[in-house]
Amino acid sequence: MSQRVSPSTRADPACKEGAASGAAPVRALACVVLAAGKGTRMRSALPKVLHPLAGRPMLAHVLANAGALAPERVVLVAAPELEGAAEGLEDAGVAFESVVQAKPLGTAHAVAETRPLLEGFEGDVLVLYADTPLVRGETMARLVQARRETGGAAAAVLGFRPEDPAAYGRLLLGPDGTLERIVEHAEADEATRKVTLCNAGMMAVDGRRLFPLLDAIGNDNAKGEYYLTDLPALVAAQGGVTAVTEAPADEVMGINDRAELARAERIVQERLRHAAMTGGATLTDPATVWLSMDTRIGRDVTIGPNVAIGPGVTIEDGVEIRPFSHLEGVRVRKRAVIGPHARLRPGSDVGEGARVGNFVEIKSATVERGAKINHLSYVGDAGVGAGANIGAGTITCNYDGYAKSRTEIGEGAFIGSNTALVAPVSVGPGAVVGAGSVITEDVEADAIAVARGEQRARKGAAARRRARRKPAPADD
Ligand code: UD1
Ligand code: CA
């Protein structure tokens, strides 16, 4: 698999993307992203690195963060199962090349698979793990700097001190503070397991020395794998130096199972909420608002409690999203009011100052400026003209069991409550539809259409009925 993905455009200056990455570019750098592990602890049919965080595969997070360094090359080491998955990685916005590691024989073996692309590269090679998606570009840049600034260092490793060192590799430092070796958890004795400084999994290596060092790594260990983490001991044996720099634990946590996935999701959400608030949005109860990596939120937006925002949502300035609303694939234009309890589904566009109220679902619907759909409606595959008023309980019957059809409602039209609009059908501008109608034919502009059983009333009939019947005995 070999894939190039063009950078995505961030064309809308009115809205800020939630994710923040502001690392300065680092010159002469190649990033290698390892994504070919088995990921067995996820117990999933989906490859681990494609599990999403804030609606974006964790692998795409790593690619995007690497891209923030503007490296010369980005090389993905993929498992055969990842072939074809690259389309889903486009929104990482990074051009990358791929190699396949046919069998997951270990992290050193995985890096060695990049030889056809990177042999002869003389800059820094920064190895990143696709299951460590929260690392910021700044931290990656700091690691590369650490290697360059530690005189003659062949490599630099990123360390951290997790609350629970669990199964992480341990970093053993020499008296001068440089790294003597990394001991994998599986290989560590009791005393080594007490070391609190752990391996985050990122390594910057002098590109000129990388492949000769990898060639010297064997697989004589508990797992029978080629460990990249054997590299610092080899460097030391050759009289060289490996630098160490530390990162905050919540940035470098590895995701190996679903519990760690959930912790990482929480961290990503906290970052996105923070970015939204910094950008000028009010989140009444931030911990209950769920955002996506590509959510764009303008200024003076208010988002109430318990709102879930899926992929592809743009919220313009001054919009109010009331509690318990669910949005995906929708643009909500200036000062529109959504919810409470509204569901906005993909392909929708809500116009300036429009209202989509409680228990209203819209799908592939364009709701023009100032239109109101305030209560208990389903509006799908539809256009609703500016200023139109859609009464409570209006349903567009867009599906006949075979095909979807459209409903067009003109500007300023008034649809009475509990109307069924059987698509394809249109209601012209300024027309009025009587409540309870089942509209199957187009309604002309400015017409009044009523399509329901006629009301009949027989004078005195209720009284006559009562007289015919004996009163029922009273309950005791
Ligand atoms: C690895 C480190 C450990 C570190 C931890 C940090 C090694 C040997 N150990 O352990 O020191 O504390 O990460 O999270 O590197 N991969 C491949 N091909 C393979 C094997 C793995 O591409 O043959 C990829 C995986 O997809 C994953 C990454 O490399 O993204 C790390 O592999 P994983 O098996 O998760 O290593 P850990 O046991 O977590
Ligand atoms: Ca891991």
Side-chain angles (χ1 to χ4, degrees), residues 33-39 41 48-49 77-79 101 103-111 128-132 160 167-170 182-185 198-202 223 225-230 252-256:
V33 179
L34 301 191
K38 287 194 288 287
R41 284 170 277 176
K48 172 169 84 171
V49 298
V77 181
Q101 185 192 22
K103 281 198 183 132
L105 300 179
T107 44
H109 181 265
V111 178
L128 304 167
Y129 290 176
D131 72 348
T132 308
F160 73 120
Y168 290 112
R170 304 300 204 272
I182 304 176
V183 182
E184 283 305 303
H185 181 82
C198 292
N199 176 28
M202 252 147 293
K223 290 189 180 167
E225 286 184 8
Y226 297 88
Y227 293 153
L228 180 62
T229 45
D230 283 351
V252 295
M253 64 168 292
I255 300 177
N256 300 295

Side-chain angles (χ1 to χ4, degrees), residues 297-324:
I297 302 177
R299 293 171 65 158
D300 294 316
V301 166
T302 300
I303 303 180
N306 294 299
V307 168
I309 296 180
V313 173
T314 296
I315 300 171
E316 293 186 355
D317 293 351
V319 164
E320 185 181 347
I321 312 279
R322 294 183 176 161
F324 294 97

Side-chain angles (χ1 to χ4, degrees), residues 265-412:
E265 178 75 42
R266 207 182 58 220
I267 293 167
V268 172
Q269 289 297 336
E270 276 163 13
R271 288 183 186 176
L272 292 175
R273 292 162 188 151
H274 185 80
M277 291 187 281
T278 307
T282 292
L283 274 51
T284 318
D285 184 8
T288 66
V289 172
W290 294 81
L291 303 166
S292 293
M293 288 304 290
D294 64 353
T295 304
R296 288 159 181 256
I297 302 177
R299 293 171 65 158
D300 294 316
V301 166
T302 300
I303 303 180
N306 294 299
V307 168
I309 296 180
V313 173
T314 296
I315 300 171
E316 293 186 355
D317 293 351
V319 164
E320 185 181 347
I321 312 279
R322 294 183 176 161
F324 294 97
S325 294
H326 187 286
L327 290 73
E328 58 187 315
V330 58
R331 179 173 204 111
V332 183
R333 294 178 192 264
K334 289 187 181 126
R335 291 179 296 284
V337 181
I338 306 298
H341 292 280
R343 175 145 188 235
L344 275 45
R345 291 175 51 202
S348 297
D349 188 318
V350 178
E352 212 174 301
R355 287 170 176 256
V356 177
N358 43 280
F359 305 104
V360 172
E361 174 179 348
I362 68 170
K363 187 221 66 167
S364 299
T366 301
V367 180
E368 306 274 358
R369 174 192 293 253
K372 293 182 188 155
I373 315 173
N374 270 335
H375 333 267
L376 300 156
S377 287
Y378 171 66
V379 175
D381 302 300
V384 178
N389 192 317
I390 310 297
T394 295
I395 306 290
T396 55
C397 309
N398 59 332
Y399 184 54
D400 61 6
Y402 298 94
K404 298 270 167 69
S405 302
R406 280 191 68 82
T407 301
E408 295 296 342
I409 297 167
E411 188 173 333

